[in-house]
Structure formats: C-alpha cells, structure tokens
Amino acid sequence: MQNAYVAGAATTRFGKFPGATVRSLTEEAVSAALADAGMTARDIEAVYFGNAADGVLSGQEMIRGQAALRHTGLLGVPIVNVENACASSSTAFHLAVAAVTSGSVDVALAVGAEKLTHPDKTRSFAAIGAAVDLLQLDELKAWSRSGTPEKADDSKKSFFMDIYAANTRAYMARSGATREDFAEVAVKSHRHAALNPNAQYRTPVTAEEVLTSRMVSDPLTLLMCSPIGDGAAAVVVCSPRRARSVPGPAVRVRASVLVSGSDRPDAEPAAARASAAAYERAGLGPQDLHVVEVHDAAAPAELMVYEELGLCGPGEGPALLKSGATALDGRLPVNPSGGLLSRGHPLGATGCAQLVELSGQLRGRCGPRQVPGARVALAENGGGFLGTDPAAMVVTILTAD
Amino acid sequence: MQNAYVAGAATTRFGKFPGATVRSLTEEAVSAALADAGMTARDIEAVYFGNAADGVLSGQEMIRGQAALRHTGLLGVPIVNVENACASSSTAFHLAVAAVTSGSVDVALAVGAEKLTHPDKTRSFAAIGAAVDLLQLDELKAWSRSGTPEKADDSKKSFFMDIYAANTRAYMARSGATREDFAEVAVKSHRHAALNPNAQYRTPVTAEEVLTSRMVSDPLTLLMCSPIGDGAAAVVVCSPRRARSVPGPAVRVRASVLVSGSDRPDAEPAAARASAAAYERAGLGPQDLHVVEVHDAAAPAELMVYEELGLCGPGEGPALLKSGATALDGRLPVNPSGGLLSRGHPLGATGCAQLVELSGQLRGRCGPRQVPGARVALAENGGGFLGTDPAAMVVTILTAD
C-alpha cells in the first residue's frame, strides 16, 4: 500500500442559494479543487460522488454524479455514486483514498454536494428524515419524544433533531452537562465562523441569544442546531509520485476509517470505534492532535464527541470546553471552520468540507482562523442514525507531510 | 495487488413478491451467499450495498444498506451505499474486488437488492425514470419519441423504454436488424430461463407471441422488454489466502472495469470502452470466452452489445444470433440465466445476479443450463442513460481458477 495525499481541496460558499443546483455547486467546487491541485479534469482517473438528499429534493437518483459532472470534462472515467447520509462525502473520500493507496489510480477525486434548501422547508426536513431506518420510524419517534415536555411542531424542524435531543437528555443525565454548556459550543462555533469567508453564519452570537432562541426539541434551541443550507466541497487525492508536482504543500492521509453503526446496546459508539482504529493506523493518539473538526449537527454532539475521540475522559466534555482548550486560541482548537452549526451542514457536502478546512489548516492557509503550527488534524463525520448510534462514521487523520 | 476470488454467490428467486421488502430479499441472498462460501457474518470485513430505486419506492435513502442488513449480524463493519442505476451492484462488486485486491481486507461482500414492484405500477416506472439526467429530461423525451408512429401511453411503460426504442431504430438503420431478430432474442432468453429455477419467467414463448404482444415503444413489444420485478443477489469476494479454504471451487476475478458514459458524439460506446480495458487487464480476448451475460434490458440491446464486446464485427449482431452461436447449445452461450428479459431485472440486483450466474457456470453447478466446460466468463452491466450511452458500465471477467 502506498501513501495518499490531498493535492487540492476547495468548497463553495455555504448558505441558502435559491438559484443553485447540485450541478452548479459541484462545478464550482470541482473547478476550484482542480485549480488548487494545479490539475485539470484530464488528470482525474476516478470520481467518488457523495450526495444525500437530492433524490428526495429534486428527484435525481441513481446517477447523481454523472448528471452533476456532465459539463466538467470528467465523464468517461469511473464514477461511483456514494450515499451514507451526512457522511456521504467522507465515505467518497474514503474510497478515493483506497483507490490511490492500492495503486490502482494516481489521482482520484472525492466530491460532496447538496442543494438542501427548498421553497417548501418541510421538504428539506423530509429529506433529512430519510437518514434513519424507516422500518423503525414509529418506534424511533416514540422513543425520541418520550420525556419531552414540549409538544413537537414538525413543520418547524427535522424529526432528526428529536433524536439528537433524546441523546442529549441522556448525556446531561450522565455527565452533568447543562444547556449553558451547549450554548457555549454555539457561541464558540459562531465566533470561529465569523473568520471563515465561506461560512453560512458569520455573525457572532451571545449565550443569551442561543438560550432564548426558539426551542426546536428540548433542550435544543434553534441556535444549537445546524442550519439547512447548500454547498459543495471537492478534494483531489493523489499518489506520492503525483504529490511531488503539486504546487502547494501536500497533505498526507494517515488514516481514513469507515465503520457502520451498531445497535447492540453494549457496543461502543461508532466515533469511539472509528477513532481508535484511525489512531492505531496512523500511529498517533489524541495527545498528538493540533486541530479537529467534529460533526456538531447539534451543539451537544461536540461535547459527546470530545469524549468518544478520547480528547478527554468520560463525562469531561463540558469541562474541556470550559477550559477554553477547544477554542481557536486554545490548546486543541475544535471546529475552526465554524463546524456544522455555523459553517453550515449541506449533508452530502459536510464530510469533504471538514477535510478542506483541515487541509487548509495543515497548509497554513486559513488566515485569521489559522491554528498556528498545525501539523496533525482529525475529522469526525457521522451519518444517519441506526437506533441512537450514527449509521455511518468516518474518522480521518491528516498530517502536514 | 493480489488476486480476488468469488468465494460464494447466491440470488433469491426473481419475480413479483408483494410481501417482500429490500430487507427480506437482502437477508435471503446474503444468508445463501455466506452459506455457499462456508462463512458467517463474522468473516465479512466490508460491505458494498447496491440499490437503485428504493429511495423513490419506499422513501429509504442514505443508509439503505445499514437498514437492509440490520438483522444480519453485519453491522459494525464499513458499509458503503452505492448507486449507479442498473449497474449499482456490479459497481458494488467492483468496490468489493478493489478492497480485496488492495489487500485492505480479506473478505468483502457485494449485495444488490431491489423491491421494484409497487401496487401502483406508475411508481415503479417513475423510479426507473430517475436513472437519466433530469436536467435533460425534456430534451431526452423529445428525442426518444421523434419518428415514433405510436402515441406514447406513459401509464403502461417506463419512459426508459423510449430511449431503448430510439437507440433500436438507429441500430436497425445501420445494421439491417429486424423486429424478427429481436423476437428471436426474446425466444432464446425465455428458452434459457425455463431451465433456471430462480428466473421470473419460466415459460418458453414463440417469435409470433413476442411480435404480437402489446407494443410498448416502437419497435419494442412487451416481450422484448425486461419486466418489473423484485430480487436480490449477493457475492462474497475473498483473497487468495481465504479462497483456499472455500468449500467449492473458487472463481477468480480477472477484471472488473467501471467506466462512466460519455455524451461526446465521437466517443466509443461505454461497453466497448469497458470491455477493451477488461480484456487488456485479463490478458484475454473475446475469442477466449465460453459464456457471457449481457444487459438485455430490451431485446435489441443484446445484439448491439455483441458488437460492442467484439463478439462479432459491426453490424453482424443479427447474423451472430441467427447462427445459433449464442444459444445454450452454441459456441458461445449468451444469457444462459435468461438475462434481464426472462430471469428478470430488479435494477439494483441485476449486476450481482449476472455474476452469480457466471460463478455457477464456472463451478459447473448450473444443471440443465450448464455450459459444458465453461472456464472463461464475461458480464456486461449498464446503468442509466446520459444522452444515448449508459451512464455507468461495468464489465467483469471471471475464470475458473
């Protein structure tokens, strides 16, 4: 097995773009990633295309990548359409890395794209709702709403947030985490995103604003939930040979581990299993990390994931946050991009977007949000739910070469 | 790169199963394939799950494999959900082979499953209709219906068949192929399927019956079109080390080539490009083949694919058929399973189903439809349309080891 490198990486801006399509977003991200790598479409030998919601939202199923890439000059090469809910494009990246490390291609492209906004917002929520096992839907709804003091208003939220809320209530009970802690996650996230020109939300918020924003699903308020938005991200992955001719510093992929969720009650969380395997493969541990992007689809998830990744001990998530260690000027900044909460969360684009951010950090290109001296980075990207565990989980470790 | 082997392979019966779900079909095929390989779920290190239509038909998107495999004991390992229209599960197989040849796993599982029947048949047709570039839909519809003497009745067919019909009219003009030739393809296919206990149609038909069956899209009559149906297929792929302990004779994967369609007018057809690459990789040519499965979603496609695979020269498809060479007792039997026309075509299941048939042929297990002495086999599986070319194409070459 040879090493794989990130040769180029780029996202579109994230936000609500009524005139955009999956195709237009894809074209913009792919074109920028190729330019970043100093390559053209002719250099790409295989494409892995991640999208999660376009089947429901535009009706385009089955050949989403071919349709989106139609005018990019990429047609003809192998194109694999990949779904894994919110981990669709980190799964695409996982396959691109595998294609390169195996030596079967020199250059592969991973793409994630999503046009999640829709004139009828309930359609966007319905799309997100397809990321659970539909044969378990009624059971899951009943479970996620038990113990909720508020009556659910399905027209103003994704049912998905009920699952996050139920997981959060269990986390509060075992860790002592409070609503105020979750508000601080959102405050940090918005503060970071204010420094990211591609972020969906660029205005800082106060804890008071987070806590008093509309209740979505108790205890999650609106500003504790990632927004509906559009965007795309693309990452060019290449062999060591090709990495030598890349214009910028190349970033080395030290581990890309995909696991599926387990609904066995005694199973470790997917993020714990995937990160343990990734640390082992990379020969690195949590103490070696300089910058991290986590899947904060809801604010409390960031604290839970701190623990699952071993950044702190069980129940210590709130304390790690309060210590300031995970802020941009802290010891181990988490979500310098603004994360899903503030950079935005166009489902299929998120996995690659995290890797674009981390590649930028490792190449020292993040301007005012640069983590000084960042040389080891980790991304955690979950997708869907199977019971209470993510259905898919990808943990990636990248290093400055 | 190490070799990859088919360790076990199985399908469900194909047909219209009102009580079945993607999950129940998946469970049946996976269980049978594992038994065939002498393995259990614990042996599987990665799963690639192909499905094409369930997003439209049941609403299950994003985590189709995790949902379908929930009770199989396979959760926890990497699961990648793959779409490539009617080539979804050959693409899944392609990824399983890549995972094994790279040495990253010893045993991978490819699955294809589809519950395509629906109480409202127009829903099934609508699902199939998502396999084209929807941004080109109007243009494609206008093109495919130009020159059609009959008024389209969309309630009784998939629009997809209009594309096959338009391609067929062009083929007739350049090759001299006739409706009678296409009828003979269907007659052969039904004759073969009568010997396949898992086929959807097991009753032989006459050319007269094919020609006088309802006109679907000129010149395609109902019996020249693959039926709507349900089914699943699973293939266990393993390393040389594991192949030694497989109970039956193992089958070697000599090439698995995926390409995407090109809509450049001067591009070679996808099947020609993919098969040329597969022959080169395998160090074999069309003259070496003993048995072939092709993607006859409509009867004329079989003749066109003869030419694209190099089984005969340009325009010689009808003559090759008439010579009897591609019948079960001929020199190079094509579609001994009955093909898509008669074994059935549950979209996402078809690619793996072809490989199950060919693995059976190479292991001498096909009973009354066994091709004597078959040691070299090829499968051609196309998916979707991009313009008039398939959007995805997988050509696989297998040999008795």
Side-chain angles (χ1 to χ4, degrees), chain A residues 216-239:
Chain A
V216 170
S217 191
D218 189 50
L220 304 177
T221 65
L222 188 66
L223 288 174
M224 294 178 193
C225 301
S226 54
I228 300 289
D230 311 318
V235 182
V236 179
V237 180
C238 76
S239 64

Side-chain angles (χ1 to χ4, degrees), chain A residues 23 61 70 76-77 133 260 263, chain B residues 61 70 76-77 133 260 263:
Chain A
R23 179 185 288 176
E61 303 262 357
R70 189 145 189 186
V77 302
D133 172 5
S260 59
D263 54 1
Chain B
E61 303 261 357
R70 189 144 188 188
V77 302
D133 172 6
S260 59
D263 54 1

Side-chain angles (χ1 to χ4, degrees), chain A residues 4 49 66 68 73 76 80 87 135 138 160 199 238 267 279 325 331 341 363 371-372 387:
Chain A
F49 187 86
Q66 290 92 332
V80 177
L135 293 178
D138 291 341
F160 222 64
C238 76
Y279 291 136
R331 169 174 62 77
L341 283 182
R363 295 162 96 181
V371 175

Side-chain angles (χ1 to χ4, degrees), chain A residues 1 21 23 48 52-53 55-56 58-64 66-67 70 74-86 91 95 98 102-104 127-128 130-136 258-263 273 347 383-387 391-392, chain B residues 1 21 23 48 52-53 55-56 58-64 66-67 70 74-86 91 95 98 102-104 127-128 130-136 258-263 273 347 383-387 391-392:
Chain A
M1 300 280 243
T21 60
R23 179 185 288 176
Y48 302 89
V56 175
S58 86
Q60 183 70 64
E61 303 262 357
M62 300 199 196
I63 59 161
R64 306 179 199 198
Q66 290 92 332
R70 189 145 189 186
L74 284 161
L75 290 190
V77 302
I79 297 177
V80 177
N81 295 292
V82 179
E83 270 191 286
N84 247 341
C86 305
T91 301
L95 294 173
S102 72
S104 68
I128 299 169
V132 301
D133 172 5
L134 293 188
L135 293 178
Q136 192 208 19
L258 165 67
V259 303
S260 59
S262 168
D263 54 1
R273 289 185 285 122
L347 319 184
F385 275 116
L386 210 61
Chain B
M1 299 279 243
T21 60
R23 179 184 288 175
Y48 302 90
V56 175
S58 86
Q60 182 70 64
E61 303 261 357
M62 301 199 196
I63 59 162
R64 306 178 199 198
Q66 289 93 330
R70 189 144 188 188
L74 284 162
L75 291 189
V77 302
I79 297 177
V80 177
N81 296 292
V82 180
E83 270 191 286
N84 248 339
C86 304
T91 301
L95 294 173
S102 72
S104 68
I128 299 169
V132 301
D133 172 6
L134 294 188
L135 294 177
Q136 192 209 19
L258 166 66
V259 303
S260 59
S262 168
D263 54 1
R273 288 186 287 121
L347 320 184
F385 276 116
L386 210 60

Side-chain angles (χ1 to χ4, degrees), chain B residues 271-348:
Chain B
R273 288 186 287 121
S275 60
Y279 291 136
E280 187 183 344
R281 194 156 310 167
L284 295 165
Q287 71 287 352
D288 299 311
L289 303 175
H290 298 143
V291 56
V292 171
E293 288 271 317
V294 301
H295 193 83
D296 59 332
E302 178 165 326
L303 305 184
M304 300 181 216
V305 172
Y306 288 170
E307 302 175 20
E308 291 165 358
L309 298 179
L311 309 185
C312 61
E316 295 175 1
L320 182 66
L321 176 78
K322 280 186 198 129
S323 76
T326 59
L328 199 47
D329 56 358
R331 171 174 60 76
L332 176 57
V334 173
N335 287 350
S337 71
L340 283 61
L341 283 181
S342 307
R343 180 201 57 228
H345 182 31
L347 320 184

Side-chain angles (χ1 to χ4, degrees), chain B residues 154-190:
Chain B
D154 283 342
S155 71
K156 289 193 169 178
K157 70 169 177 207
S158 153
F159 144 70
F160 223 63
M161 281 301 156
D162 290 332
I163 307 179
Y164 271 107
N167 279 344
T168 299
R169 295 192 296 271
Y171 178 67
M172 291 170 84
R174 72 175 182 265
S175 72
T178 64
R179 288 157 202 260
E180 288 70 24
D181 294 328
F182 309 146
E184 289 300 334
V185 171
V187 167
K188 170 171 80 71
S189 146
H190 279 73

Side-chain angles (χ1 to χ4, degrees), chain A residues 156-195:
Chain A
K156 289 193 167 176
K157 69 170 178 207
S158 153
F159 145 71
F160 222 64
M161 281 301 157
D162 291 331
I163 307 179
Y164 271 107
N167 280 344
T168 298
R169 294 192 297 272
Y171 178 67
M172 292 169 83
R174 71 174 183 267
S175 72
T178 64
R179 289 156 202 260
E180 287 70 24
D181 295 327
F182 310 146
E184 290 301 334
V185 171
V187 168
K188 171 171 80 71
S189 147
H190 279 73
R191 199 166 64 232
H192 293 180
L195 306 173

